Amino acid sequence: MITCWVILGDGSVVTLPQAVRWEFCYGTGVPCDSFFVRCLWETGKERVLSKACRFCASWEGERVFTGVVDEFSCVCGQEGLYLEVSGRGMAALLLDNEAMPAQYQMATRSDIVADHVAPYGIETVGGWSLPAVSEFTVTSGVSEWSVVQEFACYHGGVVPRFDRLGRLVLNGHDDGQGTLRIGEGTAVSGWEYREERHGVLSQVAVRRRSSWDTQWVSDPAFLAEGGNARRVVTVPNATGSAAMRYSGDYQLRASRSGRVRLTMTVAGAFLAWPGQLVQVALPDFGANGLYRVAQAEAACGQEGLTTTLVLGEPDSMI
């Protein structure tokens, strides 16, 4: 059973009536997590949620969503009187707020969290192994989320994401949380397998700004498949060889992030989470293999309880 509640601006809690329809979408990056809930309602309570700013939900006693209330509406129609509440995950606070321009001589994990995350009441988990970045610049007009993403993803190789408790996670994916198996006996109601070559890079040339010193990084597998797309990345003169190569590796992995997509809808709610490994082993299915969850959507509607998973390659930047 799903249990939902909202937190008002003064800290008080309002528990919502039993939800009759709901959708929870999870992913990494942009767009951020989102939710939609429809509940039975009572007349006379039209403005009870006017000060609602946070939303939480639990499934069978386990927290499954923490986020920001964007909109609510009370509706009276042919289906009776009901309340609809929708919003986004806690990443919305970082997306909605513009960062102050800054120049860090040496930016550390603590600096980024203290200046761009903690002021919004967001707890941060992990990221202590992320390297310090010299001459890290926050330009005018970018969001707080862009600052965190550039620091963690581009310079540290970690895709920042939010967990179900609303915490910013700066660690890599934990493959110890268990692998979901979709095979014979699994109630799969639909699937789509897609591969996209456009935008996938075969080579990246990383060169220093005012010299001819260049390092090449290639994707041998994509080259063997006829891939032919090169990018040239210019870095400051002070960039070391290891950092230059990492810049190239990042570009290759980022370009492959959406190349393979297997979308499956399975009976049941909250079966897997972004970053989790999924082993697909369906009878007479030509795309069986090991995948990683890029996006997940749990819903309760006319089809009952369903989970739709968008799966990608395990080693791509999901």
Side-chain angles (χ1 to χ4, degrees), residues 271-291:
L271 300 180
W273 308 98
Q276 187 173 349
L277 294 174
V278 175
Q279 182 71 52
V280 179
L282 294 171
D284 302 320
F285 185 63
N288 285 327
L290 185 65
Y291 296 86

Side-chain angles (χ1 to χ4, degrees), residues 11-122:
S12 58
V13 176
V14 175
T15 301
L16 300 182
Q18 181 60 43
V20 295
R21 178 187 163 198
W22 45 262
E23 297 174 2
F24 295 95
C25 301
Y26 308 87
T28 56
V30 181
C32 63
D33 300 347
S34 63
F35 72 91
F36 167 83
V37 173
R38 175 183 286 187
C39 306
L40 300 178
W41 202 236
E42 297 178 14
T43 186
K45 295 185 176 182
E46 287 75 14
R47 303 191 65 177
V48 169
L49 301 188
S50 293
K51 297 180 180 180
C53 59
R54 298 291 181 268
F55 171 89
C56 301
S58 64
W59 173 257
E60 297 181 348
E62 180 182 1
R63 181 77 66 88
V64 292
F65 201 95
T66 304
V68 175
V69 175
D70 284 335
E71 181 181 357
F72 82 91
S73 60
C74 301
V75 182
C76 181
Q78 294 181 349
E79 299 180 35
L81 180 63
Y82 56 87
L83 168 74
E84 291 184 343
V85 185
S86 60
R88 296 166 292 164
M90 295 296 285
L93 297 178
L94 302 186
L95 287 164
D96 290 349
N97 284 278
E98 184 175 329
M100 291 291 292
Q103 176 72 52
Y104 295 86
Q105 183 176 0
M106 185 67 70
T108 65
R109 181 263 193 203
S110 297
D111 294 328
I112 299 301
V113 170
D115 296 344
H116 303 282
V117 181
Y120 306 100
I122 296 172

Side-chain angles (χ1 to χ4, degrees), residues 39-234:
C39 306
L40 300 178
W41 202 236
E42 297 178 14
T43 186
K45 295 185 176 182
E46 287 75 14
R47 303 191 65 177
V48 169
L49 301 188
S50 293
K51 297 180 180 180
C53 59
R54 298 291 181 268
F55 171 89
C56 301
S58 64
W59 173 257
E60 297 181 348
E62 180 182 1
R63 181 77 66 88
V64 292
F65 201 95
T66 304
V68 175
V69 175
D70 284 335
E71 181 181 357
F72 82 91
S73 60
C74 301
V75 182
C76 181
Q78 294 181 349
E79 299 180 35
L81 180 63
Y82 56 87
L83 168 74
E84 291 184 343
V85 185
S86 60
R88 296 166 292 164
M90 295 296 285
L93 297 178
L94 302 186
L95 287 164
D96 290 349
N97 284 278
E98 184 175 329
M100 291 291 292
Q103 176 72 52
Y104 295 86
Q105 183 176 0
M106 185 67 70
T108 65
R109 181 263 193 203
S110 297
D111 294 328
I112 299 301
V113 170
D115 296 344
H116 303 282
V117 181
Y120 306 100
I122 296 172
E123 181 183 354
T124 303
V125 177
W128 297 107
S129 61
L130 290 173
V133 180
S134 62
E135 302 300 328
F136 184 80
T137 302
V138 179
T139 58
S140 177
V142 302
S143 68
E144 299 283 35
W145 172 257
S146 296
V147 176
V148 173
Q149 187 176 42
E150 180 182 351
F151 178 82
C153 194
Y154 184 81
H155 295 282
V158 173
V159 178
R161 60 198 184 280
F162 280 79
D163 64 11
R164 288 158 277 167
L165 298 178
R167 303 177 302 181
L168 174 64
V169 180
L170 295 179
N171 287 333
H173 296 300
D174 179 14
D175 292 340
Q177 60 182 320
T179 301
L180 173 68
R181 179 179 174 83
I182 298 178
E184 187 174 2
T186 304
V188 178
S189 59
W191 58 265
E192 174 187 306
Y193 181 81
R194 175 179 58 82
E195 290 194 24
E196 183 176 353
R197 294 171 64 90
H198 175 69
V200 181
L201 302 180
S202 57
Q203 289 183 317
V204 176
V206 185
R207 67 184 299 271
R208 293 191 174 95
R209 179 167 290 122
S210 60
S211 72
W212 294 102
D213 186 10
T214 304
Q215 285 198 23
W216 291 87
V217 183
S218 303
D219 185 340
F222 192 48
L223 285 169
E225 296 169 356
N228 189 4
R230 184 182 71 191
R231 292 293 182 273
V232 178
V233 179
T234 303

